[in-house]
Amino acid sequence: MIAVMNVSSGCVCSPIILSRRTSNVRKSAIPSYRDFTRSSTISSIFPSYLSKFLDTKKSVSRLSISKSPVVTRAQSSANDGLEVWPSQPILIATYLAAIAYTITVAPQGTSEQDAQLVLDLFTKGPFSPDVNGLFFAQFNALGVIPALYAAYLAPADDEDQVVPQLPFTIGSFFLGFFALGPYLILRKPKVAVAPLEEQGMLGKYFEAPVNKYIISGWAVVAAVLGVASVVTGGDNVVAEYVHLFQTNQLVNVSAIDCLILSTLVYGTIVEDMQRRGVSGCQASKAFRYCIFPLIGPAVWYLTRPELE
């Protein structure tokens, strides 16, 4: 017989008689740790609601360790407000410099000259002697590059942005960086975005495979025609383009516009890579796409992983 004392009260109480036979209870009757954690054992000891709670915790733990290749809004919002190049001060300085260049440095042509150049592009085509092949490629590039920007930025165009993307995207097809610049300055770079089925109109439009092929094909055609004009026309085409650049405001400013957009697209590609779960160093990979203006960004758009 064993006497058990109540030591918490500091006195000896009436002994509780325990049989030594309790020490001979079969070991298998005592649940092990593994058995204890099974819901069937828990439910026999604890109330049923507690076992259901533990089963739920197990399910949540399994989900928490699963890894998705694409960062979505359902994940941590710590990725919102991602800082990527270029920073807002750089964008503001670039925008103001572009305006100052247009007003003070670029040749001041007339609207009649500009209208005639654009009319020749649409009515005579790239193979006409009245159309400079390099300017034709440049003019088409200013249609492709805004479309690529729209495709890169559309997944992050949601209620968290200060302004909607659509008006600036439409304006960029006519004014290039002068219309797109304010949106790039005001928007918030984001990695955590809504999945494809919850994207807005722009997001779904530019994720469609048919639009990827059309825009990428447009980029390839414009680049090939520009190179072909130099190969076939030689120095005459280059000299004519240089003359237009020096004397015509439309040619001059649109060339600077192309240069700015082709440089700044690096930052949007890096952001788009991070958004789509591209592994490795996104900065170096994005740089390789930007080495070849127009073609490189179009290749990334055509081959980038899809949003889930």
Side-chain angles (χ1 to χ4, degrees):
M1 313 295 287
I2 300 176
V4 179
M5 296 184 297
N6 188 342
V7 294
S8 61
S9 60
C11 61
V12 179
C13 301
S14 301
I16 301 175
I17 309 301
L18 299 178
S19 171
R20 288 185 181 272
R21 286 194 299 271
T22 58
S23 63
N24 296 326
V25 175
R26 290 178 301 169
K27 189 176 182 180
S28 60
I30 302 176
S32 65
Y33 174 80
R34 180 175 298 178
D35 294 332
F36 186 78
T37 56
R38 293 176 181 169
S39 58
S40 59
T41 305
I42 295 175
S43 60
S44 64
I45 302 174
F46 298 98
S48 59
Y49 68 86
L50 182 57
S51 62
K52 292 180 181 178
F53 170 78
L54 293 176
D55 287 340
T56 303
K57 293 288 287 182
K58 290 180 182 179
S59 300
V60 172
S61 65
R62 293 191 196 101
L63 290 174
S64 63
I65 63 174
S66 62
K67 189 175 182 180
S68 175
V70 178
V71 182
T72 62
R73 187 183 301 279
Q75 293 173 289
S76 174
S77 61
N79 291 318
D80 289 357
L82 175 72
E83 292 295 332
V84 296
W85 188 91
S87 62
Q88 191 177 57
I90 293 177
L91 287 171
I92 295 174
T94 303
Y95 191 75
L96 295 177
I99 295 176
Y101 176 88
T102 302
I103 297 174
T104 62
V105 179
Q108 304 302 309
T110 63
S111 57
E112 291 79 8
Q113 292 175 331
D114 295 344
Q116 186 60 48
L117 276 174
V118 175
L119 183 63
D120 290 342
L121 291 176
F122 284 100
T123 59
K124 298 182 179 180
F127 304 107
S128 171
D130 296 330
V131 175
N132 183 268
L134 286 176
F135 178 61
F136 181 85
Q138 175 181 300
F139 187 82
N140 278 272
L142 285 176
V144 177
I145 296 176
L148 294 174
Y149 267 92
Y152 301 154
L153 301 175
D157 179 37
D158 55 23
E159 67 278 0
D160 294 334
Q161 299 295 348
V162 178
V163 290
Q165 178 185 339
L166 183 59
F168 298 93
T169 294
I170 295 175
S172 66
F173 286 101
F174 300 94
L175 299 174
F177 179 67
F178 295 95
L180 188 62
Y183 180 73
L184 296 176
I185 293 170
L186 294 173
R187 73 179 293 270
K188 179 174 65 174
K190 296 183 67 176
V191 168
V193 298
L196 179 57
E197 60 272 11
E198 298 178 14
Q199 283 288 315
M201 180 191 68
L202 280 179
K204 292 180 179 178
Y205 177 85
F206 287 105
E207 290 293 329
V210 61
N211 294 322
K212 290 184 179 182
Y213 289 114
I214 292 174
I215 295 173
S216 301
W218 185 9
V220 172
V221 169
V224 169
L225 288 175
V227 174
S229 66
V230 176
V231 172
T232 57
D235 294 339
N236 293 332
V237 174
V238 176
E240 182 184 4
Y241 178 81
V242 171
H243 175 73
L244 288 172
F245 182 84
Q246 294 174 343
T247 59
N248 186 275
Q249 186 182 42
L250 175 63
V251 178
N252 187 292
V253 174
S254 61
I256 300 302
D257 194 6
C258 258
L259 177 62
I260 293 174
L261 290 174
S262 297
T263 303
L264 298 182
V265 75
Y266 166 81
T268 61
I269 292 179
V270 171
E271 180 185 343
D272 199 39
M273 284 183 173
Q274 295 176 340
R275 183 182 300 130
R276 296 169 189 274
V278 175
S279 60
C281 181
Q282 292 97 351
S284 62
K285 292 181 179 179
F287 179 75
R288 289 196 290 270
Y289 283 106
C290 295
I291 291 177
F292 303 99
L294 192 61
I295 296 295
V299 170
W300 163 247
Y301 174 49
L302 184 63
T303 60
R304 66 182 182 176
E306 295 183 357
L307 288 176
E308 290 189 350

